[in-house]
Amino acid sequence: MTRESAERLAWLIGCTGCLLALLGWLMEPLVFPYAWLAAVNAWVGWPLGCLALLLAHALTGGRWGIAIRPHLLIGIGTLPLLLPAIVPLLFVLPRLYPWLRSDGAGTIANAFYLNGSFAVWRGIAYLIVWFGLAGFVLRAARRGTVPGPLAVTGLILLAITVTFAAVDTTMSLDPQFASSSYGMIAGAESGLLAASVCVLAAALDPRVPADTLNDVGRLLLGLLVLWAYLDFMQLLIVWNSNLPNEAAWYVARASNGWASVAAIIAVGHFLLPFFALMVPRLRQTRQGLVAVATLLIVMEALRAWWLVLPADHRFIGWIDVAAMLAIAGFAAGMALHGSRPAAMSLRTSHG
């Protein structure tokens, strides 16, 4: 399949998924909000993770960053999709968050933080930071390199905003649940998703040598271990403390079929990729890295459903799949369009 045909297929999938999701909104208006939130939450880690990896490489260097640099820039270029993607959510926020409803706001202990006016200002701040930072970084990258002060400042701003955004968008679906590591898990997940997409693209590029593939495979392994460690530590702390408000969050995600999904995520999002990436010979093969990266991308979509949908007390349905295909298709279409030779030459012409 050529790049042009792949781009057309991506746009077709995105448009089809969007039409089906809109149909689902009309038919099941109480189901659509969670489906769309899960899809947006799964995708947004890609451009933000690319931004973080590009800033990290500006400070550390290494062949891995050079190999995936074009794909990091392409990933950051999909960030504008966030603006139209959040528009449907603005109409369904009270359905998603109990603390925005008059009948539930009074029972929230941390109402000083979880309230509508403060949430609006935080959301605006996140968008300003993300788009402003992306603009500065892309401009600096096109000129040749990202300066150290910008990289340090950018990583700090990303860490803060991604942490609070994760709390606001998904953790607050259950306002009684609290976890000090939730935001760090979301940040690690964003980096892992971005690395998976970039490694997949690098493995499909015949110009990337085998020893460089080994480097990007190690990067993927490191991010995988970081995410698994943080996620497991959260589970272990909640298990040991055994507090009702925290345990209930995991109980909801281990009931009504979600226990099987959690098991699939444990195997497909950690065990299989971990043991595969531990084999040096596999890390140097394009087929092996393509398989591992693809598996991690698919598992990210499944994990997004596992995070969001139990708050609606239901399992995965066709509207959820349609919403995920819509966001994924549009994002892939933007990325493939940005990887056109003319667009790539425009990126490097300022270097």
Side-chain angles (χ1 to χ4, degrees), residues 158-238:
L158 269 181
I160 295 173
T161 54
V162 168
T163 295
F164 281 96
V167 172
D168 292 346
T169 55
T170 55
M171 195 177 85
S172 68
L173 291 171
D174 181 358
Q176 306 302 328
F177 177 69
S179 170
S180 59
S181 60
Y182 193 92
M184 291 186 290
I185 296 172
E189 184 75 11
S190 297
L192 180 59
L193 174 62
S196 299
V197 176
C198 292
V199 168
L200 175 62
L204 293 174
D205 187 350
R207 296 169 297 179
V208 179
D211 56 344
T212 304
L213 289 178
N214 187 44
D215 290 340
V216 297
R218 288 179 177 177
L219 168 70
L220 195 60
L221 176 61
L223 291 170
L224 177 64
V225 172
L226 174 63
W227 167 80
Y229 169 77
L230 293 172
D231 204 35
F232 176 74
M233 288 306 299
Q234 176 180 272
L235 172 61
L236 183 63
I237 292 172
V238 171

Side-chain angles (χ1 to χ4, degrees), residues 97-119:
Y97 303 107
W99 45 275
L100 287 176
R101 298 194 291 265
S102 58
D103 59 340
T107 61
I108 305 301
N110 51 350
F112 72 94
Y113 181 84
L114 294 179
N115 60 81
S117 58
F118 194 16

